[in-house]
Amino acid sequence: MTLAPAARLIAEARDAGTGIGAFNVVHLETAEALVAASESAGLPVILQISQNCAEYHGGLAPIGLATLALAGAAATPVAVHLDHAERPELVDEAIGLGFGSVMFDGGALPYDENVRLTAQVVERAHAADVYVEGELGEVGGKDGAHAPGMRTDPAEALAFVRETGVDALAVAVGSSHAMQQRTAALDLARIAELRSTLDVPLVLHGSSGVPDESLEAAVRTGMTKINVSTHLNGFFTRAVRDALAAQPDVVDSRKYLRAGRAAIVPEAARLLRLFALRTA
């Protein structure tokens, strides 16, 4: 199987009325687990590497090239995506490494500055045939995400898409990053309004805090790319804790990291199947 472009996977999901899972890579064990989950479910997946992840590894190239290699060798379609890049130069590096899609995150910037920088990123990325996700309406911390004002305005979103040329748009509709409890309440009416206003796929960030039934409803209402990180990290960490508790004298890190890696696979596969349920 060759490396799949996110553009194709997202378009296929949108055309089918389904969603596609976009799961964050933290380290190599995560990437291996996510590829295994894709193969187990028989469904495509998008592997995301964030700016924070690149910084943890001392640069984008080490973890990026390893993830690209895993994706290219997978038995199912796997795309590699740069997530939450706040520095345009990191986007340029990802394009040079062979990433097929990137997200430039200007959501915290003033609108005009977000438009200006995102449009510049889009111009360079499209010249390299790379798909671009933008963000409008900051998806913040747990408290802020539930404030009435933390929503993407559909009219502003339409103007943003037209002015920047982004291929997909991450929107603020009630989810929040890094939630460990699945209690977020999504604004389904706002999702429907955004879906009817925009002609680009919608992206749901902060999906770890959203319960299954709300994720299903979000896909039915118009979300296509569903991002998950913290929820899966919890499975990894709990399994590592259990393995260390069961083997307190272990010193070979592979013995407990293996347990963490294995714990992600069934849950990630389950989410892929959940998102892929046809809505019609």
Side-chain angles (χ1 to χ4, degrees):
M1 179 70 65
T2 58
L3 187 68
R8 174 167 64 82
L9 302 185
I10 293 169
E12 288 174 352
R14 187 187 187 202
D15 290 347
T18 64
I20 182 166
F23 302 148
N24 279 72
V25 170
V26 178
H27 34 58
L28 190 58
E29 286 79 11
T30 322
E32 291 169 337
L34 297 176
V35 169
S38 173
E39 293 175 340
S40 173
L43 292 166
V45 70
I46 299 171
L47 305 187
Q48 305 196 136
I49 299 174
S50 69
Q51 179 172 308
N52 287 338
C53 177
E55 290 172 353
Y56 170 79
H57 288 280
L60 182 60
I63 188 64
L65 291 173
T67 302
L68 286 164
L70 285 169
T76 46
V78 179
V80 179
H81 173 78
L82 178 67
D83 188 38
H84 281 291
E86 297 177 358
R87 296 186 285 106
E89 59 270 25
L90 187 63
V91 171
D92 295 336
E93 183 180 359
I95 293 170
L97 290 173
F99 283 50
S101 62
V102 297
M103 182 217 176
F104 177 69
D105 181 3
L109 298 173
Y111 177 81
D112 289 345
E113 184 70 359
N114 188 3
V115 167
R116 184 182 69 83
L117 290 177
T118 302
Q120 291 175 358
V121 165
V122 168
E123 183 178 9
R124 295 196 301 277
H126 283 182
D129 198 27
V130 170
Y131 188 89
V132 181
E133 175 185 330
E135 180 169 308
L136 184 65
E138 185 178 4
V139 184
K142 184 173 180 179
D143 292 334
H146 294 283
M150 296 298 281
R151 300 290 186 269
T152 299
D153 177 74
E156 189 175 63
L158 179 60
F160 182 83
V161 170
R162 288 175 174 172
E163 291 173 31
T164 62
V166 293
D167 303 294
L169 187 66
V171 292
V173 291
S175 58
S176 178
H177 291 119
M179 287 183 67
Q180 296 187 41
Q181 302 299 319
R182 304 181 75 194
T183 57
L186 296 181
D187 188 339
L188 295 176
R190 180 58 58 92
I191 294 172
E193 190 176 2
L194 287 163
R195 175 68 278 155
S196 66
T197 302
L198 304 177
D199 60 0
V200 298
L202 301 179
V203 182
L204 184 65
H205 283 233
S207 304
S208 290
V210 182
D212 281 0
E213 59 270 21
S214 295
L215 290 172
E216 289 182 276
V219 172
R220 286 197 304 271
T221 309
M223 283 290 175
T224 300
K225 179 172 174 278
I226 312 297
N227 290 13
V228 180
S229 181
T230 300
H231 176 70
L232 295 174
N233 290 343
F235 280 81
F236 186 97
T237 302
R238 287 188 293 271
V240 168
R241 286 197 182 108
D242 290 345
L244 288 171
Q247 304 174 75
D249 297 327
V250 69
V251 294
D252 185 343
S253 60
R254 291 172 296 184
K255 293 184 178 179
Y256 53 85
L257 292 179
R258 179 181 289 114
R261 180 178 63 188
I264 289 177
V265 176
E267 180 62 9
R270 186 189 73 81
L271 289 175
L272 290 175
R273 289 190 290 266
L274 179 73
F275 303 155
L277 291 173
R278 292 190 178 275
T279 58

